[in-house]
Amino acid sequence: MRPELTSLLLVGAAAFAAPLAVGLVPWLRLPPVVLEIVLGIAIGPSVLDWAELDEPVRLLGLIGLAFLLLLAGLELDLHRLRGRLLRLSAGGFVLSFALAISLAVVLDAVGLVESPLLIAIIASATSLGIVISVLEDAGESMTTFGQTVLAGASIADVGTIILLSLFFSGHAGLGARLTLLAAFGVFVAAVGLTVAGAARSMRVSDALVRLQDTTAQIRVRGAFLLLLGFVVLADRLGLEAILGAFVAGAVLKLADRDDAMTHTHFHEKLSEIGFGVFVPFFFVSSGMAFDARAVLGDPATLALVPIFVALLLVARALPALLYRPSLGARPAAAAGLLQATSLGFIVVATRIGMDLGLIAGGPATAFVAAGLVSVLVFPLAALTLLQQADRPAAQEGPIPAPLH
């Protein structure tokens, strides 16, 4: 067997073993993504050296990242993200970024990091995909608490992706990148209107319905084409490909509405393909790229891990105090812990920073390790707080109409 196929097989085996282990040992209460990354570290070059991060593994990992952001965009409910909820979430993100940039400047001043702006952007992010899965497993996704957390996580996801694309993409100046970002937005709007118009066409709609559950799986193919198109366009414009992937999901959510309920399984199919095939490759390959020896073998790098964990907590958990009047003290603290859960964006942004020479290998590895800690600890702590909280009955039911 060719060496690259052996690596591919081992990555696939790790992706299969992680959720199976969680299912067989339910008291473990770990998100499967944590075990996927840990197994990636174990089989990768820094530990057992069984698998290599070669081109096939990298390609599937890249597609997995794109699918993860596509699915995150599909979860963004713009109809609910308005009024008081939008103001609260946006205000929380602005406060997060202000705290992050202040602390990053301090860390830069004492010589622990470089590029405070990049560090602040990384610290202001939330792993929306992980937060969604935690809330759904806990039955909280449609409560007032769940929708508040999702709104905050969505704003952070969009905001940090745009900021990363704006300040750390390509080699053009800021003005040129703003122009390119505006051009990308115009193109996205045009594609969205085209897709929406095509969906309203009776002839096209009938053909889509007729082909969607056959071997053609036409809607799935169309979604994948939209994903690839936006990723390639963003990359060609010098923006981050992750922006194109996230926007593809949001456009699909808005443009391909199903008021007649004719394709109720469409999103399920995309979720099954993404989380069942491609997304695990991203997390396992991210683990393979993690240099455990650099963390454990370098006291300076190891010392940075708790500092970055504290940075995530201050930047993302502290602003959740804004939720206290409407949620209560313990749920607001739980919301803060979930908002401070971040990993995927940290992996991507630190890679970009290293490519641009803005962050050294030690701090980048320590930041990824801090993200691992956040995924391992914060959701479990948040669920424990929720179980202890004595919330009013009104907050336990489905979310009411959007706050204005």
Side-chain angles (χ1 to χ4, degrees), residues 313-372:
L313 281 172
V314 173
R316 293 299 294 141
L318 196 59
L321 290 174
L322 297 174
Y323 307 152
R324 184 172 179 174
S326 57
L327 296 180
R330 288 183 184 272
L337 287 169
L338 289 175
Q339 287 187 165
T341 302
S342 182
L343 183 59
F345 185 83
I346 294 176
V347 172
V348 174
T350 51
R351 284 181 184 174
I352 293 170
M354 290 179 67
D355 290 342
L356 295 176
L358 299 174
I359 184 171
T365 303
F367 222 143
V368 174
L372 279 173

Side-chain angles (χ1 to χ4, degrees), residues 280-315:
F281 272 87
F282 168 67
F283 286 114
V284 176
S285 64
S286 297
M288 293 171 63
F290 178 70
D291 192 351
R293 293 174 184 171
V295 175
L296 300 177
D298 184 3
T301 299
L302 187 60
L304 282 175
V305 176
I307 293 175
F308 287 142
V309 171
L311 178 60
L312 290 174
L313 281 172
V314 173

Side-chain angles (χ1 to χ4, degrees), residues 239-260:
L239 305 172
E240 281 310 314
I242 56 176
L243 175 63
F246 185 88
V247 167
V251 167
L252 200 60
K253 175 83 171 182
L254 289 173
D256 194 22
R257 298 178 61 186
D258 187 24
D259 297 328

Side-chain angles (χ1 to χ4, degrees), residues 79-95:
H79 298 289
R80 283 181 176 158
L81 191 59
R82 60 184 181 182
R84 182 173 177 270
L85 185 58
L86 175 60
R87 292 193 297 273
L88 197 63
S89 303
F93 178 70
V94 171
L95 179 57

Side-chain angles (χ1 to χ4, degrees), residues 1-13 50-52 54 56:
M1 184 179 290
R2 292 161 58 186
E4 60 267 26
L5 295 183
T6 302
S7 296
L8 208 58
L9 174 62
L10 288 171
V11 173
W50 289 352
E52 298 180 4
D54 50 30

Side-chain angles (χ1 to χ4, degrees), residues 13 23 43 53 74 84 120 148 182 235 241 252 268 286 297 299 306 311 337 351 360 382 390 396:
I43 66 175
L53 198 58
L74 283 172
R84 182 173 177 270
T148 301
D235 183 69
L252 200 60
E268 293 178 16
S286 297
L311 178 60
L337 287 169
R351 284 181 184 174
D390 183 20
E396 298 294 341

